[in-house]
Amino acid sequence: MAQQARAAQTRQQIIVGAAKLFSRVGYERARLNDIVGETGLTRGAIYFHFQSKDDLAKIVVDEFATKSIEAVATIAETGECGMCQIAMLNREMGRLLTVDPVVRAGIRLVIELNSGEAPVPVYLAWIEALKYLVSRGIDEGDVRPGVTPEDGAVFITEAFVGAQVLSHAVSGLDDLPARIDRLTGFLLNGLMPDERLAARPEIGDARLAAALG
Amino acid sequence: MAQQARAAQTRQQIIVGAAKLFSRVGYERARLNDIVGETGLTRGAIYFHFQSKDDLAKIVVDEFATKSIEAVATIAETGECGMCQIAMLNREMGRLLTVDPVVRAGIRLVIELNSGEAPVPVYLAWIEALKYLVSRGIDEGDVRPGVTPEDGAVFITEAFVGAQVLSHAVSGLDDLPARIDRLTGFLLNGLMPDERLAARPEIGDARLAAALG
């Protein structure tokens, strides 16, 4: 049992080390040897857990996807309105990016590994989660007439992904939290009638930490 | 002189052939031999004009960037309002994509070749052009208070780039014109106060062909 716990801890240590390297140099230039250096473990220990760099990159992306969906679930528990949750989700992704190396590496890897040959699972998961929130916003009377849950969810995802791509190109993702901050206002204006947003301008500043605490 | 014209024609034939191949199979899988097949020219003729696949990809991207900036200039000549020109520009990019192999390949190559190591020149050119149009929209009273030309231009570019990335992943860019159509409405709502857009709902349908004709 102690051995199992140690193995799980080593595995996580490798994932975080790999994530730090991926976010610093990107997928192409990351070498398994540098991951060895980053984690302080032996090459053998790493190969015991992972087959290849590709394998590690996939796991970092999966953990990033899981964390983003966990954020959706945690935010749902606040019971706040649909549009509030959308604003919170944007801000929470910006926050996670600055504190969690797996999220930072995951965003970079999804952009770099997107071959355009197949839908990207994490984008599809975001669209599904957002469809539910837009649909809730529609029920709450907070969404412009004619906007479907699908169209609203796709708009948010497109804008969010575009902000990631531009931030990646311009600042290596450093400026993404500030971009998300600015984007949130445009997203709410794009989705909500002016008089609804004017009645509750605090929606634009919704933050998970504030709602929890 | 006739020889020079023939050389220019051959060069263009190679660029279009390469563009068709790049948009079908992407940068990685495109082989110079397949470009030979696509153009019907000899390998020697191609090497006379271009050094490598990388060289050809860069020229396709440059021509795409030039065409998108030409669209900005043509649309400026209509003299329509800033927000009208933004809507026209979105729609015109969707149209060009379906009729011009160089534009279609250029959009794909920009996404595929974006290493995140340096700002992408075509994105910077779009942001500059859009800053001017948002600024004009501000002068015309069509932009929400507090929105700067820079923030508005970045928002439009982020959303447009995100739509390209998702369309590339989901449909190989086939669904991009429909995505742009849907996106244009959200962009205008994001940028314009409701009462200004309600007063001129036709802005959402602005098209270059209609303005010219």
Short mmCIF file of all heavy atoms in Angstrom, two decimals, chain A residues 29 108 112 114-119 127 144 147 151-152 154-155 157-159 161-163 165-166 168-169 179 182-183 186 189-191 193-194, chain B residues 29 108 112 114-119 127 144 147 151-152 154-155 157-159 161-163 165-166 168-169 179 182-183 186 189-191 193-194:
data_model
loop_
_atom_site.label_atom_id
_atom_site.label_comp_id
_atom_site.label_asym_id
_atom_site.label_seq_id
_atom_site.Cartn_x
_atom_site.Cartn_y
_atom_site.Cartn_z
N ARG A 29 10.70 20.67 -28.93
CA ARG A 29 12.05 20.80 -28.40
C ARG A 29 12.25 20.09 -27.06
O ARG A 29 13.37 20.04 -26.55
CB ARG A 29 12.43 22.28 -28.30
CG ARG A 29 12.72 22.88 -29.69
CD ARG A 29 13.38 24.22 -29.56
NE ARG A 29 12.45 25.19 -29.02
CZ ARG A 29 12.80 26.30 -28.39
NH1 ARG A 29 14.06 26.57 -28.18
NH2 ARG A 29 11.89 27.15 -27.96
N ARG A 108 -0.82 24.87 -23.89
CA ARG A 108 0.18 24.96 -24.95
C ARG A 108 0.20 23.70 -25.84
O ARG A 108 0.25 23.79 -27.06
CB ARG A 108 1.57 25.19 -24.33
CG ARG A 108 2.66 25.20 -25.38
CD ARG A 108 3.98 25.78 -24.92
NE ARG A 108 4.86 25.83 -26.10
CZ ARG A 108 6.00 26.48 -26.18
NH1 ARG A 108 6.43 27.15 -25.16
NH2 ARG A 108 6.71 26.47 -27.29
N GLU A 112 -0.34 23.11 -29.84
CA GLU A 112 0.76 22.61 -30.67
C GLU A 112 0.45 21.27 -31.33
O GLU A 112 0.93 20.99 -32.42
CB GLU A 112 2.03 22.47 -29.81
CG GLU A 112 2.62 23.81 -29.42
CD GLU A 112 3.98 23.69 -28.75
OE1 GLU A 112 4.36 22.58 -28.34
OE2 GLU A 112 4.66 24.71 -28.64
N ASN A 114 -2.59 20.11 -32.14
CA ASN A 114 -3.81 20.11 -32.94
C ASN A 114 -3.46 19.99 -34.42
O ASN A 114 -3.04 20.95 -35.05
CB ASN A 114 -4.61 21.39 -32.68
CG ASN A 114 -5.84 21.50 -33.56
OD1 ASN A 114 -6.22 20.55 -34.25
ND2 ASN A 114 -6.46 22.65 -33.54
N SER A 115 -3.61 18.80 -34.95
CA SER A 115 -3.22 18.55 -36.34
C SER A 115 -4.30 18.99 -37.31
O SER A 115 -4.09 19.05 -38.50
CB SER A 115 -2.98 17.06 -36.54
OG SER A 115 -4.22 16.38 -36.40
N GLY A 116 -5.48 19.30 -36.77
CA GLY A 116 -6.59 19.63 -37.65
C GLY A 116 -7.18 18.40 -38.32
O GLY A 116 -8.03 18.50 -39.19
N GLU A 117 -6.72 17.23 -37.89
CA GLU A 117 -7.21 15.99 -38.52
C GLU A 117 -8.45 15.46 -37.81
O GLU A 117 -9.19 14.66 -38.37
CB GLU A 117 -6.11 14.92 -38.52
CG GLU A 117 -4.84 15.32 -39.24
CD GLU A 117 -5.09 15.72 -40.69
OE1 GLU A 117 -5.85 15.02 -41.36
OE2 GLU A 117 -4.54 16.75 -41.12
N ALA A 118 -8.65 15.89 -36.56
CA ALA A 118 -9.76 15.36 -35.78
C ALA A 118 -10.17 16.38 -34.73
O ALA A 118 -9.34 17.16 -34.28
CB ALA A 118 -9.32 14.06 -35.09
N PRO A 119 -11.46 16.38 -34.35
CA PRO A 119 -11.91 17.30 -33.31
C PRO A 119 -11.06 17.11 -32.06
O PRO A 119 -10.66 15.99 -31.74
CB PRO A 119 -13.35 16.86 -33.05
CG PRO A 119 -13.77 16.15 -34.29
CD PRO A 119 -12.55 15.51 -34.84
N ILE A 127 -17.36 22.87 -25.04
CA ILE A 127 -18.60 23.26 -25.72
C ILE A 127 -19.81 22.63 -25.03
O ILE A 127 -20.82 23.29 -24.79
CB ILE A 127 -18.54 22.92 -27.23
CG1 ILE A 127 -17.52 23.83 -27.92
CG2 ILE A 127 -19.92 23.05 -27.89
CD1 ILE A 127 -17.22 23.46 -29.38
N ARG A 144 -29.55 36.95 -25.21
CA ARG A 144 -30.23 37.63 -26.31
C ARG A 144 -31.17 36.67 -27.04
O ARG A 144 -30.81 35.51 -27.27
CB ARG A 144 -29.19 38.11 -27.34
CG ARG A 144 -28.28 39.17 -26.80
CD ARG A 144 -27.25 39.59 -27.85
NE ARG A 144 -26.39 40.61 -27.29
CZ ARG A 144 -26.72 41.88 -27.13
NH1 ARG A 144 -27.92 42.29 -27.51
NH2 ARG A 144 -25.89 42.73 -26.59
N VAL A 147 -30.32 33.47 -29.69
CA VAL A 147 -29.05 32.76 -29.45
C VAL A 147 -29.37 31.35 -28.93
O VAL A 147 -30.05 31.21 -27.91
CB VAL A 147 -28.18 33.51 -28.43
CG1 VAL A 147 -26.96 32.68 -28.04
CG2 VAL A 147 -27.74 34.87 -28.99
N ASP A 151 -24.87 27.77 -30.36
CA ASP A 151 -24.18 28.94 -30.93
C ASP A 151 -23.44 29.72 -29.85
O ASP A 151 -22.31 30.16 -30.06
CB ASP A 151 -25.18 29.87 -31.63
CG ASP A 151 -25.63 29.32 -32.98
OD1 ASP A 151 -25.11 28.25 -33.39
OD2 ASP A 151 -26.50 29.94 -33.61
N GLY A 152 -24.09 29.91 -28.70
CA GLY A 152 -23.45 30.65 -27.62
C GLY A 152 -22.20 29.93 -27.12
O GLY A 152 -21.15 30.54 -26.92
N VAL A 154 -20.33 27.75 -28.73
CA VAL A 154 -19.29 27.77 -29.76
C VAL A 154 -18.60 29.14 -29.79
O VAL A 154 -17.38 29.22 -29.86
CB VAL A 154 -19.88 27.40 -31.14
CG1 VAL A 154 -18.90 27.73 -32.27
CG2 VAL A 154 -20.26 25.92 -31.17
N PHE A 155 -19.38 30.21 -29.69
CA PHE A 155 -18.80 31.57 -29.66
C PHE A 155 -17.81 31.71 -28.51
O PHE A 155 -16.67 32.17 -28.69
CB PHE A 155 -19.93 32.61 -29.55
CG PHE A 155 -19.48 33.99 -29.16
CD1 PHE A 155 -18.50 34.67 -29.88
CD2 PHE A 155 -20.06 34.62 -28.06
CE1 PHE A 155 -18.10 35.95 -29.50
CE2 PHE A 155 -19.67 35.89 -27.68
CZ PHE A 155 -18.68 36.56 -28.40
N THR A 157 -16.22 29.40 -26.83
CA THR A 157 -15.05 28.52 -27.03
C THR A 157 -14.12 29.08 -28.10
O THR A 157 -12.90 29.11 -27.92
CB THR A 157 -15.51 27.09 -27.40
OG1 THR A 157 -16.44 26.64 -26.41
CG2 THR A 157 -14.34 26.13 -27.46
N GLU A 158 -14.69 29.55 -29.21
CA GLU A 158 -13.86 30.13 -30.27
C GLU A 158 -13.04 31.31 -29.74
O GLU A 158 -11.84 31.41 -29.97
CB GLU A 158 -14.73 30.59 -31.45
CG GLU A 158 -15.28 29.42 -32.27
CD GLU A 158 -16.25 29.85 -33.37
OE1 GLU A 158 -16.71 31.01 -33.36
OE2 GLU A 158 -16.56 29.00 -34.23
N ALA A 159 -13.72 32.22 -29.03
CA ALA A 159 -13.02 33.41 -28.54
C ALA A 159 -11.93 33.02 -27.54
O ALA A 159 -10.82 33.56 -27.56
CB ALA A 159 -14.03 34.37 -27.90
N VAL A 161 -10.33 30.08 -27.28
CA VAL A 161 -9.23 29.39 -27.97
C VAL A 161 -8.38 30.41 -28.74
O VAL A 161 -7.15 30.35 -28.72
CB VAL A 161 -9.77 28.28 -28.90
CG1 VAL A 161 -8.68 27.76 -29.83
CG2 VAL A 161 -10.35 27.13 -28.09
N GLY A 162 -9.03 31.38 -29.39
CA GLY A 162 -8.29 32.40 -30.11
C GLY A 162 -7.40 33.22 -29.18
O GLY A 162 -6.26 33.55 -29.51
N ALA A 163 -7.93 33.54 -27.99
CA ALA A 163 -7.13 34.28 -27.01
C ALA A 163 -5.89 33.47 -26.61
O ALA A 163 -4.79 34.00 -26.47
CB ALA A 163 -7.97 34.62 -25.78
N VAL A 165 -4.36 31.16 -28.48
CA VAL A 165 -3.44 31.09 -29.62
C VAL A 165 -2.64 32.39 -29.72
O VAL A 165 -1.42 32.38 -29.87
CB VAL A 165 -4.20 30.82 -30.93
CG1 VAL A 165 -3.29 30.97 -32.14
CG2 VAL A 165 -4.82 29.42 -30.90
N LEU A 166 -3.32 33.54 -29.62
CA LEU A 166 -2.60 34.82 -29.73
C LEU A 166 -1.67 35.03 -28.54
O LEU A 166 -0.55 35.52 -28.70
CB LEU A 166 -3.58 35.99 -29.88
CG LEU A 166 -3.80 36.34 -31.37
CD1 LEU A 166 -4.74 35.39 -32.05
CD2 LEU A 166 -4.26 37.76 -31.51
N HIS A 168 -0.23 32.72 -26.77
CA HIS A 168 0.88 31.77 -26.98
C HIS A 168 1.91 32.38 -27.94
O HIS A 168 3.11 32.35 -27.70
CB HIS A 168 0.30 30.48 -27.55
CG HIS A 168 1.30 29.43 -27.90
ND1 HIS A 168 2.21 28.94 -27.00
CD2 HIS A 168 1.51 28.75 -29.06
CE1 HIS A 168 2.95 28.00 -27.59
NE2 HIS A 168 2.54 27.88 -28.84
N ALA A 169 1.42 32.98 -29.02
CA ALA A 169 2.33 33.54 -30.03
C ALA A 169 3.04 34.79 -29.52
O ALA A 169 4.21 35.00 -29.81
CB ALA A 169 1.55 33.86 -31.31
N ARG A 179 -5.71 38.86 -20.98
CA ARG A 179 -6.59 38.73 -22.15
C ARG A 179 -7.97 38.20 -21.76
O ARG A 179 -8.99 38.65 -22.27
CB ARG A 179 -5.99 37.74 -23.17
CG ARG A 179 -4.92 38.34 -24.04
CD ARG A 179 -4.38 37.32 -25.04
NE ARG A 179 -3.18 37.84 -25.63
CZ ARG A 179 -3.14 38.49 -26.80
NH1 ARG A 179 -4.23 38.65 -27.52
NH2 ARG A 179 -2.01 38.97 -27.25
N ARG A 182 -10.14 40.90 -20.23
CA ARG A 182 -10.76 41.80 -21.23
C ARG A 182 -11.83 41.06 -22.03
O ARG A 182 -12.89 41.61 -22.32
CB ARG A 182 -9.68 42.34 -22.18
CG ARG A 182 -8.82 43.43 -21.56
CD ARG A 182 -8.00 44.15 -22.61
NE ARG A 182 -7.10 43.26 -23.31
CZ ARG A 182 -5.85 43.01 -22.93
NH1 ARG A 182 -5.35 43.60 -21.86
NH2 ARG A 182 -5.10 42.17 -23.61
N LEU A 183 -11.55 39.80 -22.35
CA LEU A 183 -12.48 39.04 -23.19
C LEU A 183 -13.82 38.82 -22.49
O LEU A 183 -14.88 38.84 -23.13
CB LEU A 183 -11.84 37.69 -23.54
CG LEU A 183 -12.57 36.80 -24.54
CD1 LEU A 183 -12.79 37.53 -25.86
CD2 LEU A 183 -11.79 35.51 -24.76
N PHE A 186 -16.43 41.38 -23.27
CA PHE A 186 -16.97 41.26 -24.64
C PHE A 186 -17.90 40.05 -24.76
O PHE A 186 -18.92 40.11 -25.45
CB PHE A 186 -15.83 41.13 -25.65
CG PHE A 186 -15.08 42.42 -25.90
CD1 PHE A 186 -13.77 42.58 -25.50
CD2 PHE A 186 -15.70 43.46 -26.57
CE1 PHE A 186 -13.08 43.76 -25.75
CE2 PHE A 186 -15.02 44.65 -26.83
CZ PHE A 186 -13.71 44.80 -26.42
N ASN A 189 -21.25 40.95 -23.16
CA ASN A 189 -21.98 41.88 -24.02
C ASN A 189 -22.48 41.17 -25.28
O ASN A 189 -23.56 41.46 -25.78
CB ASN A 189 -21.09 43.06 -24.42
CG ASN A 189 -21.04 44.13 -23.35
OD1 ASN A 189 -22.06 44.47 -22.75
ND2 ASN A 189 -19.86 44.64 -23.07
N GLY A 190 -21.71 40.24 -25.79
CA GLY A 190 -22.13 39.51 -26.99
C GLY A 190 -23.34 38.63 -26.73
O GLY A 190 -24.18 38.43 -27.60
N LEU A 191 -23.44 38.12 -25.49
CA LEU A 191 -24.49 37.13 -25.18
C LEU A 191 -25.72 37.74 -24.51
O LEU A 191 -26.84 37.27 -24.70
CB LEU A 191 -23.93 36.06 -24.24
CG LEU A 191 -22.90 35.11 -24.87
CD1 LEU A 191 -22.11 34.40 -23.78
CD2 LEU A 191 -23.59 34.09 -25.77
N PRO A 193 -28.51 40.79 -23.34
CA PRO A 193 -29.08 42.10 -23.68
C PRO A 193 -28.52 43.16 -22.73
O PRO A 193 -28.32 42.87 -21.54
CB PRO A 193 -30.58 41.92 -23.43
CG PRO A 193 -30.82 40.44 -23.38
CD PRO A 193 -29.54 39.83 -22.89
N ASP A 194 -28.29 44.38 -23.24
CA ASP A 194 -27.67 45.44 -22.44
C ASP A 194 -28.39 45.68 -21.12
O ASP A 194 -27.75 45.87 -20.08
CB ASP A 194 -27.66 46.76 -23.23
CG ASP A 194 -26.57 46.75 -24.31
OD1 ASP A 194 -25.94 45.69 -24.49
OD2 ASP A 194 -26.38 47.79 -24.95
N ARG B 29 2.54 16.76 -44.21
CA ARG B 29 2.41 15.63 -45.14
C ARG B 29 2.59 16.02 -46.60
O ARG B 29 2.63 15.16 -47.47
CB ARG B 29 1.06 14.94 -44.92
CG ARG B 29 1.08 14.08 -43.63
CD ARG B 29 -0.12 13.17 -43.59
NE ARG B 29 -1.34 13.94 -43.42
CZ ARG B 29 -2.54 13.51 -43.76
NH1 ARG B 29 -2.71 12.32 -44.30
NH2 ARG B 29 -3.60 14.27 -43.55
N ARG B 108 -4.76 27.76 -43.14
CA ARG B 108 -4.32 26.48 -42.55
C ARG B 108 -2.84 26.54 -42.15
O ARG B 108 -2.46 26.11 -41.07
CB ARG B 108 -4.57 25.34 -43.55
CG ARG B 108 -4.01 24.03 -43.05
CD ARG B 108 -4.56 22.80 -43.73
NE ARG B 108 -4.04 21.63 -43.01
CZ ARG B 108 -4.45 20.40 -43.16
NH1 ARG B 108 -5.40 20.12 -44.03
NH2 ARG B 108 -3.92 19.42 -42.46
N GLU B 112 -0.89 25.99 -38.61
CA GLU B 112 0.04 24.86 -38.45
C GLU B 112 1.47 25.29 -38.15
O GLU B 112 2.20 24.61 -37.45
CB GLU B 112 0.03 23.98 -39.71
CG GLU B 112 -1.26 23.21 -39.86
CD GLU B 112 -1.22 22.20 -40.99
OE1 GLU B 112 -0.29 22.26 -41.83
OE2 GLU B 112 -2.10 21.34 -41.02
N ASN B 114 2.40 28.15 -36.65
CA ASN B 114 2.54 29.03 -35.51
C ASN B 114 3.24 28.29 -34.37
O ASN B 114 2.65 27.48 -33.68
CB ASN B 114 1.16 29.52 -35.06
CG ASN B 114 1.22 30.38 -33.81
OD1 ASN B 114 2.30 30.77 -33.36
ND2 ASN B 114 0.06 30.65 -33.24
N SER B 115 4.51 28.58 -34.19
CA SER B 115 5.31 27.87 -33.18
C SER B 115 5.12 28.47 -31.80
O SER B 115 5.55 27.90 -30.82
CB SER B 115 6.78 27.96 -33.55
OG SER B 115 7.19 29.31 -33.43
N GLY B 116 4.46 29.64 -31.75
CA GLY B 116 4.33 30.31 -30.46
C GLY B 116 5.63 30.97 -30.04
O GLY B 116 5.75 31.48 -28.93
N GLU B 117 6.61 30.98 -30.92
CA GLU B 117 7.92 31.56 -30.57
C GLU B 117 7.98 33.05 -30.90
O GLU B 117 8.83 33.76 -30.40
CB GLU B 117 9.05 30.82 -31.30
CG GLU B 117 9.11 29.33 -31.00
CD GLU B 117 9.26 29.03 -29.51
OE1 GLU B 117 10.07 29.71 -28.86
OE2 GLU B 117 8.54 28.15 -29.01
N ALA B 118 7.10 33.49 -31.80
CA ALA B 118 7.15 34.88 -32.23
C ALA B 118 5.75 35.30 -32.70
O ALA B 118 4.98 34.47 -33.15
CB ALA B 118 8.14 35.02 -33.38
N PRO B 119 5.44 36.60 -32.55
CA PRO B 119 4.15 37.09 -33.03
C PRO B 119 3.97 36.73 -34.50
O PRO B 119 4.94 36.74 -35.26
CB PRO B 119 4.25 38.60 -32.85
CG PRO B 119 5.31 38.81 -31.84
CD PRO B 119 6.27 37.67 -31.99
N ILE B 127 -4.81 43.13 -36.60
CA ILE B 127 -5.09 43.96 -35.43
C ILE B 127 -4.92 45.44 -35.78
O ILE B 127 -5.75 46.27 -35.42
CB ILE B 127 -4.19 43.55 -34.23
CG1 ILE B 127 -4.63 42.16 -33.71
CG2 ILE B 127 -4.26 44.58 -33.09
CD1 ILE B 127 -3.71 41.55 -32.66
N ARG B 144 -19.35 50.62 -27.73
CA ARG B 144 -19.66 50.73 -26.29
C ARG B 144 -18.65 51.63 -25.59
O ARG B 144 -17.45 51.53 -25.87
CB ARG B 144 -19.59 49.35 -25.64
CG ARG B 144 -20.64 48.38 -26.13
CD ARG B 144 -20.50 47.03 -25.45
NE ARG B 144 -21.52 46.13 -25.96
CZ ARG B 144 -22.80 46.17 -25.60
NH1 ARG B 144 -23.20 47.06 -24.71
NH2 ARG B 144 -23.67 45.34 -26.13
N VAL B 147 -14.59 50.88 -24.55
CA VAL B 147 -13.86 49.97 -25.44
C VAL B 147 -12.81 50.78 -26.21
O VAL B 147 -13.15 51.74 -26.89
CB VAL B 147 -14.81 49.28 -26.43
CG1 VAL B 147 -14.03 48.48 -27.47
CG2 VAL B 147 -15.79 48.37 -25.70
N ASP B 151 -8.37 47.15 -27.68
CA ASP B 151 -9.13 46.04 -27.09
C ASP B 151 -10.15 45.48 -28.07
O ASP B 151 -10.32 44.25 -28.17
CB ASP B 151 -9.87 46.51 -25.82
CG ASP B 151 -8.92 46.67 -24.64
OD1 ASP B 151 -7.72 46.35 -24.77
OD2 ASP B 151 -9.39 47.12 -23.58
N GLY B 152 -10.84 46.37 -28.79
CA GLY B 152 -11.83 45.92 -29.76
C GLY B 152 -11.17 45.10 -30.87
O GLY B 152 -11.66 44.03 -31.26
N VAL B 154 -8.32 43.48 -30.80
CA VAL B 154 -7.81 42.21 -30.28
C VAL B 154 -8.96 41.21 -30.10
O VAL B 154 -8.84 40.03 -30.46
CB VAL B 154 -7.04 42.42 -28.95
CG1 VAL B 154 -6.78 41.11 -28.23
CG2 VAL B 154 -5.73 43.15 -29.23
N PHE B 155 -10.10 41.67 -29.58
CA PHE B 155 -11.27 40.80 -29.41
C PHE B 155 -11.69 40.19 -30.75
O PHE B 155 -11.89 38.98 -30.87
CB PHE B 155 -12.42 41.59 -28.77
CG PHE B 155 -13.77 40.95 -28.88
CD1 PHE B 155 -14.00 39.66 -28.40
CD2 PHE B 155 -14.84 41.65 -29.45
CE1 PHE B 155 -15.27 39.07 -28.49
CE2 PHE B 155 -16.10 41.06 -29.54
CZ PHE B 155 -16.31 39.78 -29.07
N THR B 157 -9.97 39.83 -33.50
CA THR B 157 -8.93 38.94 -34.02
C THR B 157 -8.91 37.61 -33.26
O THR B 157 -8.84 36.54 -33.86
CB THR B 157 -7.54 39.62 -33.96
OG1 THR B 157 -7.62 40.87 -34.62
CG2 THR B 157 -6.48 38.77 -34.63
N GLU B 158 -9.02 37.69 -31.94
CA GLU B 158 -9.04 36.45 -31.14
C GLU B 158 -10.21 35.56 -31.55
O GLU B 158 -10.04 34.35 -31.77
CB GLU B 158 -9.14 36.78 -29.64
CG GLU B 158 -7.84 37.34 -29.06
CD GLU B 158 -7.95 37.80 -27.61
OE1 GLU B 158 -9.09 37.93 -27.10
OE2 GLU B 158 -6.91 38.06 -27.00
N ALA B 159 -11.40 36.16 -31.66
CA ALA B 159 -12.58 35.36 -31.99
C ALA B 159 -12.44 34.76 -33.39
O ALA B 159 -12.78 33.59 -33.62
CB ALA B 159 -13.84 36.22 -31.89
N VAL B 161 -9.61 34.12 -35.09
CA VAL B 161 -8.57 33.09 -35.10
C VAL B 161 -9.10 31.81 -34.44
O VAL B 161 -8.88 30.70 -34.93
CB VAL B 161 -7.28 33.58 -34.41
CG1 VAL B 161 -6.31 32.45 -34.14
CG2 VAL B 161 -6.62 34.67 -35.26
N GLY B 162 -9.84 31.96 -33.33
CA GLY B 162 -10.41 30.79 -32.66
C GLY B 162 -11.38 30.05 -33.57
O GLY B 162 -11.40 28.82 -33.60
N ALA B 163 -12.20 30.80 -34.32
CA ALA B 163 -13.14 30.17 -35.26
C ALA B 163 -12.37 29.37 -36.31
O ALA B 163 -12.76 28.26 -36.69
CB ALA B 163 -14.02 31.23 -35.93
N VAL B 165 -9.34 28.00 -35.93
CA VAL B 165 -8.72 26.83 -35.29
C VAL B 165 -9.78 25.72 -35.12
O VAL B 165 -9.53 24.56 -35.44
CB VAL B 165 -8.09 27.20 -33.93
CG1 VAL B 165 -7.64 25.97 -33.16
CG2 VAL B 165 -6.90 28.14 -34.15
N LEU B 166 -10.96 26.08 -34.60
CA LEU B 166 -11.99 25.07 -34.39
C LEU B 166 -12.50 24.52 -35.72
O LEU B 166 -12.73 23.31 -35.84
CB LEU B 166 -13.14 25.61 -33.54
CG LEU B 166 -12.95 25.28 -32.05
CD1 LEU B 166 -11.94 26.19 -31.39
CD2 LEU B 166 -14.26 25.29 -31.31
N HIS B 168 -10.85 24.31 -38.48
CA HIS B 168 -9.75 23.48 -38.99
C HIS B 168 -9.80 22.09 -38.36
O HIS B 168 -9.70 21.06 -39.04
CB HIS B 168 -8.42 24.18 -38.65
CG HIS B 168 -7.18 23.44 -39.03
ND1 HIS B 168 -6.93 22.98 -40.30
CD2 HIS B 168 -6.11 23.09 -38.30
CE1 HIS B 168 -5.75 22.38 -40.33
NE2 HIS B 168 -5.23 22.44 -39.12
N ALA B 169 -10.02 22.06 -37.04
CA ALA B 169 -10.03 20.78 -36.32
C ALA B 169 -11.26 19.94 -36.66
O ALA B 169 -11.19 18.73 -36.78
CB ALA B 169 -9.96 21.02 -34.81
N ARG B 179 -19.39 29.50 -39.71
CA ARG B 179 -18.95 29.98 -38.39
C ARG B 179 -18.80 31.49 -38.39
O ARG B 179 -19.18 32.17 -37.43
CB ARG B 179 -17.59 29.38 -38.03
CG ARG B 179 -17.67 27.99 -37.46
CD ARG B 179 -16.27 27.46 -37.12
NE ARG B 179 -16.36 26.04 -36.88
CZ ARG B 179 -16.51 25.49 -35.68
NH1 ARG B 179 -16.54 26.25 -34.61
NH2 ARG B 179 -16.62 24.19 -35.54
N ARG B 182 -22.15 33.27 -38.11
CA ARG B 182 -22.68 33.29 -36.75
C ARG B 182 -21.87 34.23 -35.87
O ARG B 182 -22.42 34.97 -35.06
CB ARG B 182 -22.68 31.88 -36.15
CG ARG B 182 -23.79 30.99 -36.69
CD ARG B 182 -23.94 29.73 -35.84
NE ARG B 182 -22.73 28.93 -35.85
CZ ARG B 182 -22.48 27.96 -36.73
NH1 ARG B 182 -23.36 27.67 -37.67
NH2 ARG B 182 -21.35 27.29 -36.67
N LEU B 183 -20.53 34.19 -36.07
CA LEU B 183 -19.65 35.00 -35.22
C LEU B 183 -19.90 36.50 -35.41
O LEU B 183 -19.83 37.27 -34.44
CB LEU B 183 -18.20 34.66 -35.55
CG LEU B 183 -17.12 35.27 -34.67
CD1 LEU B 183 -17.32 34.89 -33.21
CD2 LEU B 183 -15.73 34.82 -35.14
N PHE B 186 -22.32 38.00 -32.98
CA PHE B 186 -21.79 38.11 -31.61
C PHE B 186 -20.77 39.24 -31.50
O PHE B 186 -20.72 39.96 -30.50
CB PHE B 186 -21.14 36.79 -31.18
CG PHE B 186 -22.12 35.69 -30.84
CD1 PHE B 186 -22.25 34.57 -31.65
CD2 PHE B 186 -22.91 35.78 -29.71
CE1 PHE B 186 -23.14 33.56 -31.34
CE2 PHE B 186 -23.82 34.78 -29.38
CZ PHE B 186 -23.93 33.66 -30.20
N ASN B 189 -22.65 42.56 -31.42
CA ASN B 189 -23.28 42.73 -30.11
C ASN B 189 -22.23 43.00 -29.03
O ASN B 189 -22.48 43.76 -28.10
CB ASN B 189 -24.09 41.48 -29.73
CG ASN B 189 -25.46 41.48 -30.40
OD1 ASN B 189 -26.13 42.49 -30.45
ND2 ASN B 189 -25.86 40.34 -30.92
N GLY B 190 -21.07 42.38 -29.16
CA GLY B 190 -20.01 42.59 -28.17
C GLY B 190 -19.47 44.01 -28.21
O GLY B 190 -19.08 44.56 -27.18
N LEU B 191 -19.46 44.61 -29.40
CA LEU B 191 -18.84 45.92 -29.58
C LEU B 191 -19.81 47.10 -29.51
O LEU B 191 -19.46 48.19 -29.08
CB LEU B 191 -18.11 45.97 -30.93
CG LEU B 191 -16.86 45.09 -31.04
CD1 LEU B 191 -16.50 44.87 -32.51
CD2 LEU B 191 -15.68 45.72 -30.30
N PRO B 193 -23.44 49.23 -28.60
CA PRO B 193 -24.59 49.30 -27.70
C PRO B 193 -25.84 48.80 -28.44
O PRO B 193 -25.98 49.03 -29.65
CB PRO B 193 -24.73 50.80 -27.41
CG PRO B 193 -23.42 51.42 -27.81
CD PRO B 193 -22.88 50.56 -28.91
N ASP B 194 -26.72 48.11 -27.70
CA ASP B 194 -27.91 47.51 -28.32
C ASP B 194 -28.71 48.50 -29.15
O ASP B 194 -29.18 48.18 -30.24
CB ASP B 194 -28.83 46.91 -27.25
CG ASP B 194 -28.28 45.60 -26.71
OD1 ASP B 194 -27.13 45.25 -27.07
OD2 ASP B 194 -28.99 44.93 -25.93
#
